[in-house]
Amino acid sequence: MEAISEKAVTRLEDALGKENVYPDNPHRAVRAAVPSPFPVCHWEEHIPDIVVLPKTTEEVVEIMKIANEFKIPVVPRAGATGLADGAVPMRKGILLDIKRMDEILEIDDVNMTATVQPGLGMLELNKTLSRIGLFYPDDPASYPCSIIGGRIGSGGWSLMGSGYGHVPDLVISMEVVLPTGKVIRVGGGGGRKIRKSSVGYRLKDLFIGHSGTLGVTTEATLDLCKKPEAECPAYFGTGSFEESHDLALALERLGLKTMTAVVIFDNEKIEFLRRDDEAYIPQPKEVVSVVLALLYGSEGEVLAARKQVFETAVDKMKATYLGDEIAKGDWASRHDRYHITYHGRNAAGEVSMMSWHCEDAAIVHSELPYVRKKWHEIVKRYKREYDGYFDDWGMFMYTSNPFKAYGDYLTEVDIGVNELEMTPEIWQAFIKMKSEIAAVALEAGGSISTCHGGTRPGDVELACHQELAEGSFDLMKDIKKLLDPNNIMNPGKYLLDEAYQ
Amino acid sequence: MSEVYISKKSFYDTPLGDDKAVVPEMRRDCYAVFACRHKFCRDVCPVYFETRDETTGSYGLHTSILGMAEGHVALSDLQDTITMCLECGACELRCPNSLYTGDFYGQSTTLVDLVRKVRRDLIAQGTPPANWDAVQKYIDQDLEKENGPSDALVKWADDLDLPNAGETMLFVDYFNAGQTTDVPRNAVKILKAAGIRFGILDKPYPTLGELYESDKEKWMVYAAQNIDALAKAGAKTVILVNPHDYIFFVREYPKYFNLPFDVVYITDYLLSLFEAGKITLKNELPINATYHDPCSLNKHVLNWEAPRTLIEAIPGISYKADDHIRQWDYCCGNGLNSFKRLKPDVSYKIGLRRFSMAEEVGAEQLIVACPHCLDQFTEVKAKSGSSLEPVHILELIAKSMGID
Ligand SMILES: Cc1cc2nc3c(=O)[nH]c(=O)nc-3n(C[C@H](O)[C@H](O)[C@H](O)COP(=O)(O)OP(=O)(O)OC[C@H]3O[C@@H](n4cnc5c(N)ncnc54)[C@H](O)[C@@H]3O)c2cc1C
């Protein structure tokens, strides 16, 4: 604890109570990492100096004031499931864990809003909402474990987003504590619940997806919906990725309001899913790639849409319906498979413990085949060169246009990474692989990240100097410096240090 | 059946310590949980629900030990955080390692064993878990009973006229024998009314979980004595009335010993008698109730059907309970072994939360199948002033059978 003075610790303890301030090793070491590949050999560099768990906005204000006075970095941490290192301390400092801010402040079932503190999970909120037939439709694959504040900090994507909207669409207004300790409210009109207004700048968007660099959300008013009456996840097997790509377009073009997602599983993904697993639902050999059409709505709407989907997929496009077992077993649960370290393989096909890394570029439909081809070439090359360190776990492509299941796709390649045996040299190779992957996304006119953020080494240089090159990054730096004069908020992210040079 | 639930990672036998290296197998095993991106373990942990602190629980502990392997944490740093586990087993069930690949690769997550191991290792190096004195005092009291006159241990059955031998033996632990005597007494009355011939040991030996997680060797000596005494009494079937002991008999004893008898939990045994027509639930009990699964049965050995079937068979009962999977994230707050003494405040909060869930479904009575849940809920009721009444399933069965 060299970096933080005793005086600052005492001030934090006075402000929050000793029981909410943790200087001990386990509390600090456990909060060094998030699930994006973490080179175990670099752990020490990311251990925060102190962990605090505030309960109120006022306490967050106090933390900011102390941090400014003593010039200590503050890193917000919510569920710690972020995949772009957002909550990883780059300069140690105060780790501000928001999980004790977990109150539901109001549920308004007439105007369909919930106002919550940011430390609450979606699962927790929905447990309460389900009692009155309501639902908060933010449904990432990390649904049970990511947390509303982190969803906002990362600008999350929801599997149901092409039907119900993503996090930026679902947050109506927010209370934000700025790095200086000033409390502001963005969005929502005077009463916090207005979804559409044309007064002032769209400042709410500035505080969504900033990866904890501009302040701390301490309260959010969220848009609710009625829990959909019917759900139909229909999985279709095809003989190739190209067939799946065509089928996805045909499904998009049906123009169905109930179509909440179209998802493509490519050939490598299906091969990966066939690796030893107790939960795998076996598929015939002819199934090389898979398309999911996910429908939500009233019974009548879903029934009618289902008929059209089946006519298109089975009668016209000759895909094979994979049966109700998969629909019930819900292949979305296959997300769990990513993280089973035992699914990693070396060239000889032996188990090599690996963790999951996921790239999440946003790509338009027409460019998916190009990106897929290039990405697999890159990953397979690194897999060959660094046997037992990297592995190709296949690709998913999910519609990501809010409220409309067509156009953009969250395009994900999953890569096994042997973090435990990682050396600093191989870590550099990993970063290089990432930047090659990001470059392909930009070549295809895409964005480096749909929902995780472009904050990691390998991405960040391309994000700031290419994707955001036409003035955006310069403006970001100006805004950062304006709001955070002492660079205390999550410093070291998005190359924003450049703003202070 | 019991074989399925026995897990043993031999590298857990190598002690951790401030000046000891973490063995490679342990490092890899902890890494498998650290590298799991889901943290489902956190979101089913009744302790996390109260503390919102991710340092504890399966992810927190495995990560801390991985941190130990990498030199960022020392064993003695865990004195506080290691107290924060109920050993309820929810995280093991929800761990994707156990769910998807665990058995295939022999790598299921075994957090409960790990917590016990870390507590033992902390005690062994002279840096016990925080507040351990309270637990040690309790252990000493229990062991004093073993040293004392043996008739004190069977006093609960003084007027019940039971033999000390038989093919069927009812094993009654010190907790039931001393604190919740109605539980074994009702069991005896029900079994007798069903025409079962059975005996009890004239001297049972300690089974205390608190001892298991502090002095395993001593606990094993008593385990051997229990097994020996039951075998000598002629036991072919041993019925347990404490699910904490039941899971020791089916999950822990077989790790170290061969058991020359079958082991069955009282509710399973009664269900088989009910199905064979030997028990008739005739009296109406017009109560409005819900049921609480003991973690030991529901999470450790996936045993949840018998109590529900029996309760539903009671005439006149109005009964509504969450299914067993939902109850994976519940606990009465007592925990399996030391938790309540280590963390009485958190224990009480967990109990209160369970009470409020029972109240929410409109229940007036909260049925339990475990003496520790009964004890804990009785205390929560007294402290909180709730009108919810905890009641043991055996009491209801006895009443419905017309037994006083
Ligand atoms: C298995 C798995 C599946 C996933 N699937 C998806 C998916 O489908 N869609 C998706 O979008 N993401 C997905 N992710 C990534 C991750 O879940 C999201 O990025 C999520 O939004 C992060 O939330 P969190 O609570 O874990 O936040 P954290 O990781 O703790 O934090 C994320 C960022 O927000 C900042 N932050 C946290 N709290 C606040 C606050 N109160 N105010 C300001 N900033 C804050 C942090 O500093 C950090 O930069 C997945 C991750 C995993 C492990």
Side-chain angles (χ1 to χ4, degrees):
Chain A
M1 269 225 327
E2 325 78 40
I4 184 166
S5 69
E6 262 176 45
K7 207 164 157 209
V9 175
T10 311
R11 290 276 299 280
L12 287 168
E13 287 174 348
D14 290 346
L16 276 74
K18 242 183 154 149
E19 66 285 5
N20 296 311
V21 178
Y22 298 90
D24 61 283
N25 287 334
H27 277 85
R28 295 187 301 120
V30 165
R31 288 171 180 78
V34 293
S36 40
F38 182 72
V40 173
C41 53
H42 290 299
W43 194 333
E44 176 65 41
E45 296 155 34
H46 301 292
I47 298 178
D49 296 312
I50 196 139
V51 173
V52 295
L53 279 92
K55 291 190 179 127
T56 63
T57 303
E58 293 68 38
E59 288 176 355
V60 175
V61 169
E62 284 308 308
I63 295 165
M64 295 300 202
K65 286 186 180 158
I66 296 165
N68 262 301
E69 190 180 324
F70 291 86
K71 311 272 186 301
I72 312 167
V74 177
V75 183
R77 179 173 172 107
T81 66
L83 295 173
D85 282 355
V88 172
M90 305 300 278
R91 309 265 162 78
K92 298 181 169 259
I94 301 171
L95 190 302
L96 194 164
D97 187 328
I98 61 156
K99 289 193 272 299
R100 282 191 184 151
M101 301 182 76
D102 63 342
E103 300 267 320
I104 298 177
L105 302 168
E106 187 203 41
I107 293 173
D108 177 346
D109 63 350
V110 174
N111 299 306
M112 304 287 276
T113 62
T115 300
V116 300
Q117 283 193 304
L120 191 75
M122 285 81 76
L123 178 70
E124 294 170 302
L125 175 60
N126 277 328
K127 269 188 196 164
T128 304
L129 291 174
S130 66
R131 292 192 211 123
I132 49 171
L134 295 183
F135 183 54
Y136 176 56
D138 179 22
D139 183 24
S142 53
Y143 175 74
C145 46
S146 55
I147 282 177
I148 289 162
R151 298 292 293 147
I152 293 171
S154 59
W157 168 94
S158 157
L159 182 64
M160 302 172 77
S162 289
Y164 293 80
H166 300 289
V167 174
D169 314 299
L170 294 170
V171 175
I172 301 172
S173 70
M174 281 188 287
E175 176 186 85
V176 181
V177 177
L178 297 179
T180 51
K182 186 175 165 127
V183 183
I184 62 162
R185 185 164 283 285
V186 287
R192 303 165 190 188
K193 295 180 184 171
I194 295 298
R195 280 105 172 152
K196 173 73 183 79
S197 149
S198 68
V199 174
Y201 297 159
R202 320 294 336 133
L203 289 181
K204 183 191 80 180
D205 281 347
L206 187 58
F207 293 95
I208 297 180
H210 59 81
S211 298
T213 58
L214 291 183
V216 180
T217 294
T218 43
E219 203 181 293
T221 299
L222 309 171
D223 195 7
L224 306 181
C225 64
K226 188 172 175 297
K227 188 145 178 74
E229 189 184 23
E231 171 192 10
C232 169
Y235 290 85
F236 300 99
T238 69
S240 67
F241 168 75
E242 289 70 24
E243 284 175 32
S244 290
H245 187 231
D246 291 345
L247 171 56
L249 186 65
L251 292 169
E252 290 169 36
R253 285 187 170 161
L254 288 175
L256 296 169
K257 219 38 202 150
T258 43
M259 187 72 83
T260 304
V262 177
V263 183
I264 304 173
F265 301 54
D266 86 339
N267 311 18
E268 282 81 355
K269 178 57 74 185
I270 298 299
E271 272 169 36
F272 170 71
L273 292 175
R274 286 187 164 120
R275 287 184 186 171
D276 320 315
D277 190 303
E278 291 168 4
Y280 180 63
I281 302 170
Q283 296 306 320
K285 266 219 297 285
E286 311 80 81
V287 175
V288 176
S289 169
V290 166
V291 175
L292 159 68
L294 180 60
L295 306 169
Y296 280 102
S298 68
E299 294 273 1
E301 285 168 340
V302 168
L303 214 65
R306 186 180 189 276
K307 191 163 167 281
Q308 273 184 281
V309 164
F310 272 69
E311 276 168 10
T312 304
V314 180
D315 303 343
K316 284 202 198 117
M317 308 291 289
K318 305 293 175 218
T320 317
Y321 177 56
L322 297 185
D324 295 343
E325 195 194 356
I326 280 199
K328 280 202 205 93
D330 191 354
W331 255 20
S333 74
R334 235 110 286 273
H335 285 91
D336 293 354
R337 302 176 55 106
Y338 297 169
H339 320 102
I340 307 303
T341 53
Y342 301 100
H343 279 144
R345 296 286 184 277
N346 62 15
E350 297 152 348
V351 172
S352 173
M353 280 179 100
M354 290 185 196
S355 70
W356 170 56
H357 168 64
C358 156
E359 293 286 343
D360 73 315
I363 304 291
V364 288
H365 182 111
S366 57
E367 299 301 314
L368 294 176
Y370 172 78
V371 170
R372 171 174 179 261
K373 181 169 165 288
K374 289 285 185 186
W375 277 9
H376 280 309
E377 276 172 15
I378 296 169
V379 178
K380 286 183 175 136
R381 175 157 43 82
Y382 278 87
K383 178 181 158 91
R384 266 196 315 276
E385 260 176 58
Y386 300 93
D387 184 25
Y389 283 90
F390 302 118
D391 192 8
D392 186 342
W393 288 359
M395 283 177 67
F396 281 120
M397 293 150 213
Y398 307 84
T399 43
S400 60
N401 185 0
F403 308 111
K404 300 176 196 90
Y406 56 77
D408 322 8
Y409 274 74
L410 185 172
T411 306
E412 157 176 343
V413 61
D414 296 311
I415 305 169
V417 179
N418 185 340
E419 335 171 282
L420 194 59
E421 310 304 335
M422 186 60 71
T423 61
E425 298 73 47
I426 299 180
W427 184 245
Q428 289 311 312
F430 171 68
I431 291 172
K432 185 148 180 300
M433 170 165 62
K434 274 186 65 61
S435 64
E436 288 181 35
I437 288 171
V440 171
L442 293 180
E443 264 170 50
S447 168
I448 288 171
S449 172
T450 313
C451 52
H452 301 155
T455 43
R456 294 191 54 128
D459 290 341
V460 70
E461 303 80 5
L462 279 81
C464 297
H465 296 145
Q466 290 189 32
E467 185 170 341
L468 304 170
E470 293 165 80
S472 293
F473 183 53
D474 289 340
L475 189 56
M476 272 173 70
K477 286 187 283 190
D478 290 345
I479 294 171
K480 170 74 176 169
K481 207 167 165 189
L482 178 74
L483 297 184
D484 185 8
N486 292 317
N487 196 14
I488 60 155
M489 277 313 299
N490 211 354
K493 301 280 159 66
Y494 270 129
L495 309 183
L496 287 165
D497 289 349
E498 289 180 16
Y500 301 85
Q501 282 156 9
Chain B
M1 160 203 145
S2 57
E3 302 286 300
V4 180
Y5 302 105
I6 300 164
S7 63
K8 187 151 170 43
K9 290 178 178 166
S10 54
F11 53 86
Y12 278 15
D13 294 339
T14 310
L16 296 166
D18 282 355
D19 50 2
K20 293 189 170 79
V22 175
V23 295
E25 295 90 335
M26 176 68 110
R27 179 175 178 256
R28 278 168 64 90
D29 193 66
C30 288
Y31 171 74
V33 175
F34 168 79
C36 163
R37 307 323 205 185
H38 275 281
K39 305 193 170 105
F40 288 158
C41 46
R42 189 174 70 199
D43 296 276
V44 292
C45 175
V47 173
Y48 172 75
F49 296 150
E50 305 308 328
T51 63
R52 316 287 295 179
D53 181 358
E54 65 179 297
T55 321
T56 61
S58 184
Y59 179 78
L61 183 61
H62 283 95
T63 302
S64 296
I65 298 175
L66 183 64
M68 218 181 280
E70 305 304 307
H72 311 306
V73 177
L75 178 65
S76 52
D77 290 332
L78 300 183
Q79 280 181 289
D80 271 320
T81 52
I82 200 62
T83 60
M84 289 291 202
C85 178
L86 293 152
E87 301 171 56
C88 78
C91 55
E92 293 185 1
L93 287 171
R94 284 300 273 127
C95 179
N97 284 331
S98 311
L99 279 173
Y100 292 106
T101 52
D103 290 344
F104 192 90
Y105 296 97
Q107 293 292 350
S108 289
T109 297
T110 50
L111 189 269
V112 174
D113 285 354
L114 185 62
V115 166
R116 291 173 181 167
K117 172 203 169 34
V118 170
R119 287 181 184 167
R120 275 180 214 127
D121 291 348
L122 279 166
I123 291 166
Q125 76 163 18
T127 54
N131 208 19
W132 186 259
D133 282 352
V135 180
Q136 192 57 49
K137 205 165 133 205
Y138 180 66
I139 296 174
D140 293 343
Q141 284 166 1
D142 215 57
L143 299 192
E144 264 169 38
K145 290 182 199 159
E146 195 272 327
N147 285 326
S150 65
D151 46 345
L153 297 170
V154 288
K155 195 165 180 311
W156 63 272
D158 262 358
D159 55 338
L160 294 172
D161 191 23
L162 294 169
N164 294 129
E167 290 198 356
T168 303
M169 293 292 286
L170 183 73
F171 182 86
V172 178
D173 54 288
Y174 287 21
F175 187 81
N176 265 321
Q179 263 144 290
T180 48
T181 49
D182 278 349
V183 174
R185 287 179 66 80
N186 280 323
V188 169
K189 289 177 192 170
I190 295 167
L191 292 171
K192 279 190 170 182
I196 305 301
R197 289 158 58 91
F198 65 98
I200 57 169
L201 287 180
D202 55 357
K203 177 174 179 185
Y205 292 90
T207 48
L208 197 66
E210 287 83 343
L211 182 63
Y212 187 41
E213 60 193 18
S214 49
D215 188 345
K216 184 167 99 179
E217 307 308 319
K218 197 178 225 175
W219 183 88
M220 281 170 62
V221 170
Y222 293 131
Q225 285 174 317
N226 274 327
I227 295 167
D228 191 46
L230 287 163
K232 284 205 177 109
K236 294 217 165 89
T237 301
V238 175
I239 306 170
L240 277 292
V241 277
N242 184 337
H244 292 198
D245 284 15
Y246 173 67
I247 61 164
F248 281 157
F249 271 67
V250 298
R251 284 186 60 148
E252 305 305 315
Y253 282 11
K255 281 183 189 168
Y256 316 106
F257 308 103
N258 282 325
L259 270 60
F261 42 72
D262 290 332
V263 178
V264 56
Y265 191 60
I266 185 75
T267 43
D268 290 313
Y269 197 79
L270 296 189
L271 181 63
S272 63
L273 295 177
F274 174 72
E275 285 171 345
K278 293 186 180 161
I279 283 180
T280 314
L281 300 172
K282 53 181 192 208
N283 289 348
E284 289 213 358
L285 300 184
I287 58 169
N288 192 353
T290 188
Y291 171 65
H292 174 82
D293 280 297
C295 302
S296 45
L297 285 188
N298 183 30
K299 302 185 208 172
H300 282 249
V301 287
L302 304 183
N303 179 330
W304 47 274
E305 276 175 297
R308 286 178 165 74
T309 315
L310 288 166
I311 295 167
E312 276 158 20
I314 296 172
I317 197 164
S318 161
Y319 156 79
K320 200 165 145 199
D322 275 341
D323 65 40
H324 69 288
I325 305 242
R326 273 194 199 195
Q327 296 214 23
W328 282 358
D329 26 345
Y330 300 177
C331 176
C332 70
N334 182 83
L336 252 66
N337 300 312
S338 315
F339 181 77
K340 190 173 172 180
R341 284 184 179 74
L342 293 172
K343 284 279 157 202
D345 50 338
V346 186
S347 162
Y348 176 60
K349 282 190 197 158
I350 297 171
L352 267 186
R353 188 180 290 262
R354 183 63 185 95
F355 254 45
S356 70
M357 288 174 189
E359 283 158 356
E360 219 170 82
V361 297
E364 289 152 3
Q365 300 207 9
L366 177 55
I367 307 172
V368 299
C370 165
H372 302 283
C373 296
L374 183 66
D375 184 55
Q376 162 79 350
F377 285 145
T378 307
E379 200 178 308
V380 172
K381 178 182 165 65
K383 266 199 199 167
S384 67
S386 164
S387 61
L388 187 70
E389 195 63 57
V391 55
H392 197 284
I393 186 170
L394 295 182
E395 187 182 328
L396 295 182
I397 291 173
K399 271 194 191 149
S400 184
M401 287 170 73
I403 301 168
D404 281 340

